[in-house]
């Protein structure tokens, strides 16, 4: 069956609305700034009167387009309007790299923020969130909306303001962790997020697919002796691969052999490695995993006394993230750094479950087509391919395949050198920090200058600076994974970005507050030691020296900024935001901003003379050349690297160099590739064969399917836990925000249900009433609540004989509820409002405690049900059943513990404090803490 071009289909579907937006262009252009801003209030009013967002779409998009033109000097193309419409409909827009995805988000974000419920724009890292808030946020501010930014390390109050804004820029991990923290809050004052409304995800495939395998976890500390990790690491080090243990790289697992078991038991002098009291097997297996599967400078880097995980998809470090189940400690032991305590999960959520909780979700990416099925099966999101603004004229050469690694690296070296001599800019993509440093060494030997962009901290800081220059003549850039790098590679260099860096370099050291360390250095009068100007960029970055006139103008503009804003008085973030605003075109009264803007434009004009000439030259040579050195686990990531070349219709070329020893083909290649390897004996002759290329593609598809199955399984299992999580968090939030009456109602319900539990547990209705053990029932009730002390068997036997179990139940429920009301009266007499505070405390502490235990239990169940497959049972169904039983037991336990704590609650005045303290379940200074 023939399929048409998907982008043409998209174009046809939205063309009428695009034409309507274009038709409003002249009318919108004629409005003054104030009239344009007044449109926002007009739209809000129309929404209040019952019009829908769809009714406003055409006008709102026209307004944003005009505002973007006035503030940023960027006028969204027609294809960007189409992208905005796709996002507004809650779909995924696939747009090629360099087609201006970032600007697209402003259109639907403005439209959906008009309702006042807030819009979250989610990016992959803090740098991009900040850049977008400072840059695109100017459009929203110009139109009278508030714009928030959430960054790692922000205080609670700042977060609350950020989330309270109309449009909030935030990273996926900050957003997820704030959601979990909100569900651990002890009072409403601690909440930072509002109810979710609409979310736009930039680089949606990176967040919803690559990150989906790692759940977000908030954990507390659990004590475990670290000696065992060190012993296990020594044993793993002494063991030999394929003799003591086998490694399955595909499943990322290790298996001890018979010899391995015996050797470990001898060395440790234990009889059973799997003894649940010592659990040595777990330590040994983690130590072997740390040795074989977690490679330094590939999966993690060592900084000081810390092991920092490197994200395999974006090549960035993930500060503060730790592997679970003792694996992180095993790696710490292997590297000989301080071993940190083990942790226990308090709250967790996967990105899959988290993002599905938004009523409307949209996303943008350069490469989603290969994952269409996953987006639709798991997230119920459709993918629409947006046509490019100009036709793509990039040339993708066929892969060059070598038998061995050495042949491949030599060819890569020759290719870089050949292109560099020609003067073409080259971007080399690698899959790990280690590989990128290997290539760097080869280039050092050849004397070719290069820039290195990988997860090492010293390189990350200069990231956008490096990328902005990757398009200059003869530039060589080695990068691990280009996903979500955010800065475009402009041929000839990015004049605007360099001009901004030049202003930043002079301005920041004068207006930003010094940090503690710097102050100490200055007192000693030793500035050289503290590194001089930390905002300075690498020498040779700028294309030319500034003219004397412009240099003088820069000095004066910085002086003006110092006199208006104060000398060294701004926070770094605030200064960045002001600089960002100065480098655009938004209207301003601030004389410092205007002075900086004037000099920025002058510098940009000077740089542009050089970059434009260089661009022509580079275009003539054939544009940016991309060299791939390894196929990634997913074709999508390979396409992202390719997409860096040939943006906006520029010429460009790409070529992948592969070897049959690459991890991907070694692990997933199968027999056919192995046979080919032995057939080719020549090391450095490339193998060109259609059959081989097909086998490689097949291997890559196999990997994609394999990881898709893992994610699908994770999703199926998580769906069980997720429905439980939603109910628990809903109940918890209900208690957190409840009024006195609502809490009272909840307590009466708890009292009734707990009496039901006690009656059902003690009375078998199939037996005659005369044989019911009513004495035992009364004893149980007295244990549960001392107000039942006055009831005797003789009081309830006649009721049971006359009306059966229902009459008995109704009588006891009435008693239980009366007891609760009596208790309320007593406590309120001590201090008004104390009962409500105590009830809320009991519900929250019991929910948190038991949910934490439930997470441990359900994790154990998930591991255990895997073996049921051998008994011809479906593990997922078994997991659902067991999970449900655990859940109902937990909810009943919460109810029973809470109502028991309420009955036993004895407020006491403490001598030193003239106020009532909570004395009840779940704390240190609470003597009456007894669980049923």
């Amino acid at each position: 069956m023939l399929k048409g071009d998907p982008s043409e289909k998209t174009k046809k579907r939205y063309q009428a609305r695009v034409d309507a937006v274009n038709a409003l262009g002249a009318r919108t252009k004629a409005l003054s700034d104030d009239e344009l801003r007044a449109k926002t209030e007009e739209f809000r009013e129309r929404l209040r009167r019952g019009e829908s967002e769809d009714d406003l779409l055409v006008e709102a998009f026209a307004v944003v387009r005009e505002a973007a033109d006035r503030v940023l000097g960027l006028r969204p193309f027609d294809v960007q309007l189409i992208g905005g419409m796709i996002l507004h409909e809650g779909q995924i827009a696939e747009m090629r790299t360099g087609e201006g995805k970032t600007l697209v988000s402003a259109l639907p974000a403005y439209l959906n923020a008009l309702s006042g419920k807030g819009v979250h724009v989610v990016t992959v890292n803090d740098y991009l969130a900040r850049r977008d808030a400072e840059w695109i946020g100017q459009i929203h501010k110009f139109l009278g909306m508030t714009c928030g930014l959430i960054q790692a390390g922000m205080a609670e109050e700042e977060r609350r303001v950020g989330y309270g804004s109309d449009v909030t820029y935030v990273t996926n991990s900050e957003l997820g962790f704030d959601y979990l923290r909100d569900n651990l809050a002890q009072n409403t004052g601690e909440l930072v997020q509002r109810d979710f409304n609409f979310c736009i995800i930039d680089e949606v495939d990176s967040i919803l697919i690559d990150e989906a395998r790692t759940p977000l976890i908030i954990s507390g500390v659990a004590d475990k002796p670290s000696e065992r990790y060190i012993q296990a690491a020594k044993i793993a080090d002494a063991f030999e691969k394929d003799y003591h243990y086998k490694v399955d790289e595909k499943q990322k697992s290790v298996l001890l052999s018979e010899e391995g078991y015996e050797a470990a038991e001898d060395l440790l002098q234990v009889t059973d490695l799997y003894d649940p009291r010592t659990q040595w097997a777990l330590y040994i297996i983690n130590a072997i995993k740390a040795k074989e599967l977690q490679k330094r400078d590939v999966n993690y880097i060592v900084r000081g006394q810390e092991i920092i995980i490197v994200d395999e998809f974006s090549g960035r470090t993930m500060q503060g993230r730790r592997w679970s189940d003792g694996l992180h400690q095993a790696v710490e032991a292997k590297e000989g750094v301080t071993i940190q305590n083990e942790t226990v999960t308090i709250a967790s959520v996967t990105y899959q479950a988290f993002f599905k909780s938004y009523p409307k979700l949209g996303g943008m990416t350069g490469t989603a087509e290969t994952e269409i099925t996953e987006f639709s099966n798991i997230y119920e999101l459709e993918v629409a391919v947006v046509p490019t603004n100009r036709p793509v004229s990039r040339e993708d050469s066929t892969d060059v395949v070598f038998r061995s690694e050495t042949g491949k690296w030599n060819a890569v070296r020759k290719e870089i050198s050949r292109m560099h001599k020609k003067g073409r800019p080259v971007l080399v993509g690698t899959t790990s920090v280690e590989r990128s440093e290997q290539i760097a060494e080869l280039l050092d030997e050849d004397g070719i200058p290069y820039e290195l962009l990988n997860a090492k901290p010293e390189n990350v800081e200069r990231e956008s600076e490096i990328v902005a220059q990757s398009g200059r003549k003869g530039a060589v850039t080695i990068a691990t994974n280009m996903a979500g790098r955010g800065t475009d590679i402009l041929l000839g260099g990015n004049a605007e970005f360099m001009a901004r860096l030049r202003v930043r370099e002079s301005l920041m050291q004068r207006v930003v507050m010094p940090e503690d360390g710097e102050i100490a250095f200055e007192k000693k009068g030793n500035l050289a030691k503290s590194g001089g100007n930390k905002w300075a960029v690498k020498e040779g970055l700028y294309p030319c020296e500034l003219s004397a006139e412009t240099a003088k103008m820069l000095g004066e503009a910085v002086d003006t900024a110092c006199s208006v804003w104060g000398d060294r008085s701004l926070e770094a973030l605030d200064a960045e935001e002001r600089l960002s605003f100065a480098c655009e075109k938004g209207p301003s009264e601030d004389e410092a901003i205007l002075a900086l803007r004037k000099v920025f434009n002058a510098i940009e004009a000077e740089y542009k003379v050089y970059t434009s000439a260089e661009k022509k030259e580079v275009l003539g040579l054939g544009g940016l050349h991309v060299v791939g050195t390894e196929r990634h686990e997913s074709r999508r990531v390979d396409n992202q690297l390719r997409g860096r070349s040939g943006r906006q219709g520029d010429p460009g070329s790409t070529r992948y160099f592969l070897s049959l020893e690459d991890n991907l083909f070694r692990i997933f290649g199968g027999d056919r590739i192995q046979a080919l390897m032995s057939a080719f004996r020549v090391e450095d002759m490339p193998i060109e064969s259609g059959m081989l290329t097909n086998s490689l593609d097949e291997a890559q598809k196999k990997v994609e399917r394999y990881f898709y199955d893992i994610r699908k399984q994770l999703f199926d299992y998580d769906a069980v836990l997720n429905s439980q999580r939603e109910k628990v968090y809903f109940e918890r939030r209900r208690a957190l925000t409840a009024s006195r009456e609502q809490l009272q109602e909840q307590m009466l319900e708890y009292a009734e249900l707990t009496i039901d539990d006690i009656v059902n547990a003690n009375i078998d209705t199939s037996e005659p009433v005369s044989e019911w053990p009513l004495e035992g029932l009364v004893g149980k009730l007295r244990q549960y609540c001392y107000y039942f002390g006055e009831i005797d068997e003789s009081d309830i036997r006649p009721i049971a004989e006359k009306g059966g179990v229902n009459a008995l139940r109704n009588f006891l429920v009435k008693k239980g509820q009366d007891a609760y009301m009596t208790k309320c009266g007593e406590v309120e007499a001590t201090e008004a409002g104390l009962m409500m505070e105590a009830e809320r405390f009991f519900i929250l502490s019991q929910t948190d405690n038991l949910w934490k235990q439930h997470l441990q239990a359900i994790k154990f169940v998930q591991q255990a049900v895997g073996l049921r497959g051998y008994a011809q049972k479906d593990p997922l169904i078994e997991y659902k059943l067991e999970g449900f039983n655990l859940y109902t037991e937990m909810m009943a336990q919460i109810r029973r513990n809470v109502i028991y704590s309420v009955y036993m609650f004895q407020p006491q005045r403490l001598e030193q404090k003239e106020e009532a303290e909570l004395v009840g379940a779940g704390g240190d200074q609470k003597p009456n803490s007894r669980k049923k």
Side-chain angles (χ1 to χ4, degrees):
M1 199 173 84
L2 285 173
K3 275 190 177 174
D5 179 1
S7 62
E8 279 307 310
K9 233 165 55 186
T10 311
K11 196 170 177 180
K12 271 195 194 123
R13 201 172 131 204
Y14 294 100
Q15 196 57 50
R17 273 185 286 177
V18 171
D19 292 341
V21 175
N22 286 332
L24 287 174
R27 210 167 80 210
T28 322
K29 208 174 183 63
L31 299 173
S32 70
D33 285 354
D34 289 337
E35 286 170 333
L36 198 58
R37 202 170 289 121
K39 279 281 184 194
T40 303
E41 202 36 61
E42 178 198 314
F43 292 150
R44 282 182 170 150
E45 187 50 47
R46 281 165 60 184
L47 278 177
R48 281 194 286 270
R49 286 207 300 267
E51 283 190 52
S52 74
E53 282 154 350
D54 290 343
D55 300 335
L56 298 174
L57 185 138
V58 171
E59 293 172 66
F61 275 29
V63 165
V64 175
R65 188 186 220 177
E66 183 55 37
D69 197 9
R70 290 185 195 183
V71 180
L72 306 176
L74 295 170
R75 187 173 182 73
F77 305 128
D78 287 0
V79 292
Q80 289 174 306
L81 296 179
I82 292 176
M85 290 169 197
I86 292 168
L87 292 178
H88 169 67
E89 287 172 3
Q91 298 181 53
I92 288 173
E94 175 177 305
M95 301 180 74
R96 287 285 172 86
T97 306
E99 290 287 317
K101 290 194 284 285
T102 315
L103 187 57
V104 170
S105 64
L107 298 152
Y110 171 76
L111 175 58
N112 286 276
L114 289 167
S115 63
K117 293 180 187 161
V119 172
H120 295 160
V121 182
V122 179
T123 60
V124 283
N125 60 38
D126 269 352
Y127 157 71
L128 287 180
R130 188 176 75 228
R131 184 204 70 179
D132 291 354
E134 288 168 358
W135 183 41
I136 303 296
Q138 293 179 38
I139 300 174
H140 301 304
K141 287 177 185 161
F142 175 73
L143 289 170
M145 294 227 165
T146 54
C147 187
L149 169 66
I150 308 291
Q151 298 269 282
M154 268 189 176
E156 206 174 90
E157 191 44 50
E158 291 176 279
R159 286 175 190 272
R160 199 169 295 114
V161 171
Y163 286 120
S165 307
D166 292 318
V167 181
T168 308
Y169 288 88
V170 58
T171 62
N172 48 337
S173 56
E174 290 297 318
L175 186 64
F177 282 125
D178 282 336
Y179 163 77
L180 290 176
R181 279 191 287 262
D182 271 5
N183 284 300
L184 292 170
Q186 292 302 315
N187 57 55
T188 46
E190 289 176 18
L191 299 175
V192 297
Q193 290 180 342
R194 304 192 272 173
D195 289 343
F196 292 160
N197 172 36
F198 176 45
C199 173
I200 300 171
I201 305 179
D202 194 4
E203 302 296 351
V204 66
D205 50 346
S206 172
I207 292 175
L208 294 190
I209 291 179
D210 301 339
E211 293 262 342
R213 282 189 287 170
T214 26
L216 293 168
I217 295 173
I218 287 186
S219 44
V221 174
D223 296 326
K224 277 274 173 82
S226 61
E227 282 306 308
R228 288 189 188 168
Y229 288 110
I230 296 167
Q231 276 170 281
K234 284 178 182 158
I235 291 173
D237 200 35
F239 275 11
E240 280 177 46
K241 186 179 173 177
D242 294 331
Y243 176 69
H244 290 108
Y245 59 86
K246 285 196 165 41
V247 179
D248 182 343
E249 292 187 67
K250 186 171 171 180
Q251 304 276 0
K252 290 203 164 50
S253 63
V254 297
L255 203 63
L256 281 173
S257 64
E258 208 49 55
E259 291 80 6
Y261 275 119
E262 284 170 12
E265 284 168 357
D266 285 352
L267 286 165
L268 294 166
Q269 295 173 339
V270 294
T271 49
D272 179 10
L273 282 186
Y274 279 96
D275 182 345
R277 289 186 295 278
T278 52
Q279 294 179 358
W280 268 112
L282 194 69
Y283 290 98
I284 302 280
I285 283 172
N286 269 337
I288 298 173
K289 276 186 184 172
K291 173 184 169 184
E292 294 290 346
L293 296 168
Q294 305 298 345
K295 299 271 193 324
R296 183 172 181 161
D297 284 346
V298 178
N299 306 86
Y300 64 90
I301 59 173
V302 181
R303 190 192 302 170
Q305 283 292 309
E306 211 181 341
I307 301 286
I308 299 170
I309 302 177
V310 174
D311 179 9
E312 59 181 308
F313 290 100
S314 65
R316 297 169 184 284
T317 49
M318 304 200 291
Q319 190 77 34
R321 287 251 187 120
R322 292 177 67 77
W323 286 301
S324 55
D325 302 326
L327 180 59
H328 210 100
Q329 284 82 356
V331 175
E332 286 169 335
K334 164 186 146 185
E335 291 292 349
V337 301
T338 315
I339 297 175
Q340 297 182 18
N341 277 354
E342 270 199 29
T343 52
V344 50
T345 304
I346 298 173
S348 78
V349 66
T350 58
Y351 283 126
Q352 291 170 332
F354 173 67
F355 282 112
K356 278 183 76 119
S357 60
Y358 277 89
K360 187 161 86 174
L361 179 66
M364 309 176 280
T365 170
T367 42
E369 227 181 337
T370 49
E371 259 79 7
I372 281 180
T373 45
E374 182 158 356
F375 281 126
S376 88
N377 291 351
I378 291 184
Y379 296 101
E380 293 150 21
L381 287 170
E382 295 309 311
V383 175
V385 180
V386 181
T388 53
N389 188 39
R390 296 187 186 132
V392 176
S393 56
R394 184 181 73 233
E395 184 192 326
D396 293 331
S397 316
T398 50
D399 298 348
V400 185
V401 185
F402 292 86
R403 180 175 162 244
S404 67
E405 291 254 310
T406 42
K408 174 178 89 170
W409 291 119
N410 283 333
V412 168
R413 183 182 192 165
K414 281 179 192 149
E415 178 87 350
I416 296 172
S417 161
R418 189 166 63 83
M419 290 296 171
H420 179 67
K421 281 196 183 100
K422 266 193 185 172
R424 280 183 69 178
V426 182
L427 173 67
V428 189
T430 62
T431 49
S432 68
V433 177
E434 187 183 26
R435 288 271 185 266
S436 63
E437 289 179 342
Q438 269 177 357
I439 297 179
E441 279 171 28
L442 292 177
L443 294 184
D444 281 337
E445 288 170 23
D446 292 353
I448 297 174
Y450 59 85
E451 285 288 358
L452 186 62
L453 181 53
N454 59 24
K456 289 281 177 80
E458 61 273 20
N459 298 324
V460 175
E461 303 302 324
R462 298 183 41 239
E463 175 175 318
S464 46
E465 182 188 313
I466 293 171
V467 177
Q469 301 324 308
S470 301
R472 286 172 81 172
K473 189 182 168 188
V476 177
T477 311
I478 307 168
T480 47
N481 204 318
M482 289 302 292
R485 289 288 178 201
T487 318
D488 268 332
I489 296 177
L490 298 186
L491 298 182
N494 190 332
E496 181 189 349
F497 200 82
M498 290 191 277
R500 180 170 162 181
L501 282 172
R502 184 69 193 83
V503 177
R504 182 174 182 260
E505 191 175 66
S506 304
L507 175 73
M508 290 306 209
Q509 57 176 344
R510 298 275 307 276
V511 296
V512 174
M513 277 186 218
E515 288 168 14
D516 299 345
E518 291 174 35
I519 298 173
F521 279 122
E522 283 175 25
K523 277 184 186 155
K524 291 178 188 163
N526 185 354
L527 255 176
K529 227 179 181 180
S530 65
N533 179 6
K534 68 170 182 178
W535 309 97
V537 299
K538 200 170 176 182
E539 275 182 47
L541 177 87
Y542 304 122
C544 62
E545 285 294 324
L546 294 183
S547 63
E549 189 186 338
T550 314
K552 181 172 174 234
M553 198 159 122
L554 178 61
E556 286 166 0
V558 172
D559 291 340
T560 310
C562 287
S563 64
V564 176
W565 298 336
D567 216 10
R568 304 196 79 166
S569 60
L570 298 182
E571 291 282 344
L573 258 180
D574 184 20
E576 291 275 15
E577 196 171 315
R578 293 186 191 196
L579 171 65
S580 195
F581 184 66
C583 295
E584 300 297 349
K585 300 180 171 53
S588 171
E589 302 288 313
D590 186 333
E591 62 176 300
I593 296 251
L594 297 174
L596 289 169
R597 182 171 298 168
K598 190 175 163 196
V599 72
F600 164 76
N601 289 333
I603 297 175
E604 187 184 4
E606 283 189 22
Y607 286 171
K608 241 192 180 121
V609 176
Y610 286 85
T611 55
S612 308
E614 203 168 297
K615 180 174 180 178
K616 279 200 191 95
E617 214 177 322
V618 172
L619 281 173
L621 293 167
L624 176 72
H625 182 60
V626 170
V627 176
T629 58
E630 211 171 313
R631 287 274 190 103
H632 209 274
E633 280 171 2
S634 122
R635 287 169 297 167
R636 204 181 63 247
V637 182
D638 293 341
N639 291 340
Q640 281 169 347
L641 178 63
R642 283 200 178 104
R644 292 284 152 184
S645 172
R647 50 180 299 289
Q648 286 287 345
D650 288 344
S653 57
T654 67
R655 173 163 281 168
Y656 267 76
F657 289 82
L658 312 169
S659 94
L660 297 178
E661 292 177 354
D662 288 349
N663 281 351
L664 187 83
F665 307 129
R666 207 181 60 212
I667 300 171
F668 288 90
D671 303 335
R672 193 192 273 179
I673 290 181
Q674 296 300 324
L676 281 165
M677 272 182 78
S678 49
F680 289 100
R681 288 270 169 253
V682 190
E683 289 285 315
D684 50 4
M685 278 286 286
I687 310 163
E688 289 184 26
S689 113
M691 183 176 120
L692 179 68
T693 309
N694 292 341
S695 304
L696 300 187
D697 286 345
E698 219 19 72
Q700 204 167 15
K701 283 181 188 153
K702 214 195 276 178
V703 184
E704 283 177 14
R705 280 197 298 273
Y706 173 71
F707 284 123
Y708 169 64
D709 290 340
I710 289 182
R711 288 192 297 267
K712 182 84 179 84
Q713 191 185 10
L714 176 79
F715 179 69
D716 290 339
Y717 277 94
D718 190 58
V720 179
L721 187 59
N722 192 44
S723 57
Q724 298 179 359
R725 181 191 300 112
E726 280 176 357
K727 290 192 191 101
V728 169
Y729 284 172
F730 173 76
E731 286 293 320
R732 194 184 188 285
R733 184 61 61 94
R734 195 176 78 162
L736 195 63
T737 55
S739 63
R740 177 75 203 101
E741 290 69 35
Q742 288 166 325
L743 269 176
Q744 203 158 5
E745 209 174 295
Q746 201 170 341
M747 289 302 129
L748 291 168
E749 185 191 331
Y750 280 8
E752 180 179 350
L753 290 168
T754 306
I755 294 282
D756 281 354
D757 289 346
I758 294 175
V759 170
N760 293 339
N762 286 276
I763 287 182
D764 182 356
T765 47
S766 61
E767 292 182 345
V769 177
S770 54
E771 287 180 23
W772 284 0
L774 294 181
E775 203 168 314
L777 177 67
V778 168
K780 203 75 189 134
L781 288 166
R782 284 177 182 161
Q783 253 182 0
Y784 157 63
C785 167
Y786 59 82
Y787 288 100
F788 281 98
E790 68 251 24
I791 293 182
D792 221 314
E793 185 197 354
S794 53
D795 297 332
I796 57 174
R797 174 89 50 197
I799 297 170
E801 282 168 353
K802 190 175 169 193
V805 75
N806 283 341
L808 175 65
R809 183 193 154 279
N810 293 341
F811 171 75
L812 292 175
V813 165
K814 173 88 176 64
K815 277 283 180 202
Q817 293 183 335
D818 289 349
Y820 167 71
M821 297 313 286
T822 313
K823 185 79 196 177
C824 277
E826 287 175 11
V827 173
E828 287 295 302
T830 315
E831 184 168 314
L834 179 61
M835 193 63 186
M836 177 177 164
E837 222 176 296
E839 286 166 1
R840 182 169 290 146
F841 169 76
F842 293 142
I843 294 176
L844 297 182
S845 59
Q846 288 298 339
T847 304
D848 291 348
N849 236 337
L850 290 165
W851 176 243
K852 185 166 78 180
Q853 289 168 20
H854 178 71
L855 287 176
Q856 300 301 320
I858 207 152
K859 188 175 175 184
F860 181 73
V861 169
Q862 190 174 346
Q863 289 164 350
V865 293
L867 301 170
R868 309 244 175 119
Y870 295 114
Q872 305 300 312
K873 291 179 176 175
D874 181 343
L876 184 60
I877 291 173
E878 294 286 305
Y879 177 70
K880 283 180 178 172
L881 291 171
E882 298 227 357
F884 180 71
N885 293 340
L886 280 172
Y887 172 74
T888 44
E889 178 50 40
M890 174 193 71
M891 292 308 270
Q893 188 71 35
I894 290 175
R895 279 201 313 268
R896 294 199 287 263
N897 288 0
V898 168
I899 196 72
Y900 173 72
S901 302
V902 167
Y903 285 142
M904 303 305 277
F905 178 46
Q906 301 290 352
Q908 294 167 4
R909 285 193 181 278
L910 294 181
E911 298 307 316
Q912 66 272 41
K913 282 192 195 167
E914 281 306 304
E915 54 181 278
E917 282 285 326
L918 298 184
V919 180
D924 302 331
Q925 40 159 184
K926 306 180 179 102
N928 281 341
S929 166
R930 276 211 314 276
K931 280 191 185 174
K932 173 176 161 281

